[in-house]
Amino acid sequence: MSSPPALLELRGIVVDAGGRSILDVPQLALPAERTTAVLGANGAGKTTLLRVAGALIRQTAGEVMLDGAPATPTAIRRVSAAVLQRPLLRRASVRDNAETGLRFHRVPRAEARRRAGEWLERLGVAHLATSPAHTLSAGEAQRVSLARALALSPRLLLLDEPFSNLDAPTRGELLVDLGEALDATGAAALLVTHDRHEAAALADRMAILHAGDLRQEGPTAEVWGHPSDPDCARILGYDTVLETDVARRILGNGVAHPLALRSEDCAAAPAGIQMDGSSLTIDAELRRLIPLGSTTRVIAELDGRRLLATAPAPAPDWLANLQPGDPIAVRLERARARPVGAPFPAADEPALS
């Protein structure tokens, strides 16, 4: 099925601040009826990109297109709504807050109440309609903020780290409800987040920012399993990147690209353990053990390059008795190692044979 046309498109966007470039986006399209997640570490330029897309700041260079034509800030603001990290709620009732945007757009009171009420109900906070907004929990406040934005029926929804201040259970529930809401609206949504799991759960497409540069963009499944460079791999949670020379020494001269590995796909094992048909064993040296509750993080080293693996918690005796510098093996499933920068669709197939 072909993708819908782009509602908003960023072309040649550059933002300078303090005498340096903080954002460089050659091209990024936000299709209608799709959610695009922009993923990156803190300070990568994600919020700056969102503010440019929403006409909240002016770019130094480049152009923002709306429906294929150059867009004015007024035109973009007319079709968009934003949900911020920390919901800004008035000192009024939940219902009044949910109706705020509609009142600003001069929607009649009865219609505003109906539309806001529908989204409060859909997001599970209708029972709080008469409650003062300042009494809400963080999760409830974010739901009201989402209802206020969605009641506007925006064509473009801007989501700036909407889960950042929520605990894990609250975040999980809101992820499900927001996903259903996005499916129902048909809006183009731009989600900026540092959390790869949020991006994977909600987004049809994913873009990766690193130090202000747009490094990779495409369908979520392709980007998730097919990092274009080592920086993108680490942002996507691949804790270990074996450069090509190391990968060749381990696997042979047929390896043409670096390999990316997630720590949960690598298991610590005693030195000298034999390799079986489905796994690869790398000989290394132990550097550190870090207890993480349900698992133990194992940091090993191979020729000055860090390898991350997991082990049970508490650590088994053979592992707990090792000292830094002792030999250890890291065992990984061959099919879980991903080639970095290899032509797609290589990522759909086992990386190692």
Side-chain angles (χ1 to χ4, degrees):
M1 184 175 62
S2 60
S3 297
L7 172 70
L8 197 80
E9 186 177 359
L10 308 182
R11 295 182 179 177
I13 297 296
V14 175
V15 177
D16 293 337
R20 65 184 183 89
S21 175
I22 62 171
L23 186 69
D24 186 352
V25 178
Q27 193 272 341
L28 180 65
L30 305 182
E33 304 176 14
R34 298 288 188 270
T35 297
T36 301
V38 176
L39 186 66
N42 291 332
K46 303 185 301 297
T47 296
T48 300
L49 187 153
L50 179 138
R51 289 174 176 167
V52 169
L56 302 175
I57 62 171
R58 287 189 177 274
Q59 64 272 18
T60 305
E63 195 165 36
V64 181
M65 311 291 288
L66 179 65
D67 293 322
T72 65
T74 299
I76 294 172
R77 292 169 191 155
R78 189 178 294 124
V79 301
S80 63
V83 178
L84 306 177
Q85 294 182 35
R86 294 175 176 81
L88 300 176
L89 301 183
R90 298 163 45 225
R91 294 185 66 83
S93 71
V94 164
R95 179 184 290 123
D96 286 339
N97 273 277
E99 294 174 5
T100 297
L102 295 166
R103 299 279 182 85
F104 179 80
H105 286 278
R106 301 184 183 279
V107 175
R109 180 180 292 271
E111 175 68 6
R113 179 149 298 189
R114 182 190 67 79
R115 287 166 61 176
E118 286 180 354
W119 279 106
L120 290 173
E121 180 69 35
R122 182 171 290 186
L123 289 165
V125 285
H127 64 290
L128 299 171
T130 60
S131 300
H134 72 269
T135 65
L136 301 180
S137 68
E140 291 166 344
Q142 194 60 285
R143 287 173 181 271
V144 174
S145 181
L146 283 164
R148 179 173 58 195
L150 292 166
L152 292 169
S153 301
R155 296 180 65 206
L156 173 64
L157 183 63
L158 305 169
L159 302 163
D160 186 8
E161 300 269 13
F163 309 100
S164 62
N165 295 310
L166 307 182
D167 58 49
T170 302
R171 183 186 304 117
E173 292 179 4
L174 187 54
L175 267 170
V176 174
D177 291 342
L178 178 56
E180 294 175 351
L182 292 173
D183 288 341
T185 64
L190 175 63
L191 166 70
V192 302
T193 178
H194 65 277
D195 190 306
R196 66 184 186 276
H197 299 295
E198 293 174 5
L202 289 174
D204 305 286
R205 300 184 66 81
M206 189 182 294
I208 298 180
L209 273 181
H210 179 71
D213 295 331
L214 183 65
R215 291 287 188 86
Q216 186 173 4
E217 190 272 336
T220 294
E222 178 179 328
V223 173
W224 182 261
H226 178 65
S228 63
D229 61 45
D231 291 323
C232 290
R234 294 183 180 97
I235 291 168
L236 289 164
Y238 294 95
D239 310 282
T240 298
V241 176
L242 296 178
E243 298 301 333
T244 307
D245 61 330
V246 178
R248 279 180 180 154
R249 185 147 45 83
I250 296 169
L251 297 167
N253 291 330
V255 176
H257 300 276
L259 296 177
L261 313 166
R262 288 195 171 100
S263 59
E264 58 264 33
D265 297 328
C266 300
I273 193 168
Q274 295 299 308
M275 181 172 58
D276 62 35
S278 65
S279 64
L280 169 71
T281 301
I282 302 172
D283 293 322
E285 293 182 354
L286 178 66
R287 286 292 172 259
R288 191 178 181 191
L289 302 179
I290 304 175
L292 296 176
S294 59
T295 62
T296 299
R297 173 67 58 87
V298 180
I299 301 177
E301 188 174 291
L302 173 64
D303 292 346
R305 295 170 172 88
R306 193 174 70 159
L307 303 173
L308 272 68
T310 57
D317 289 344
W318 71 264
L319 180 58
N321 292 331
L322 293 179
Q323 300 297 317
D326 285 347
I328 191 173
V330 175
R331 170 176 277 180
L332 61 107
E333 294 301 313
R334 290 172 176 266
R336 298 296 182 91
R338 312 310 304 169
V340 177
F344 194 79
D348 284 341
E349 303 167 357
L352 309 176
S353 59

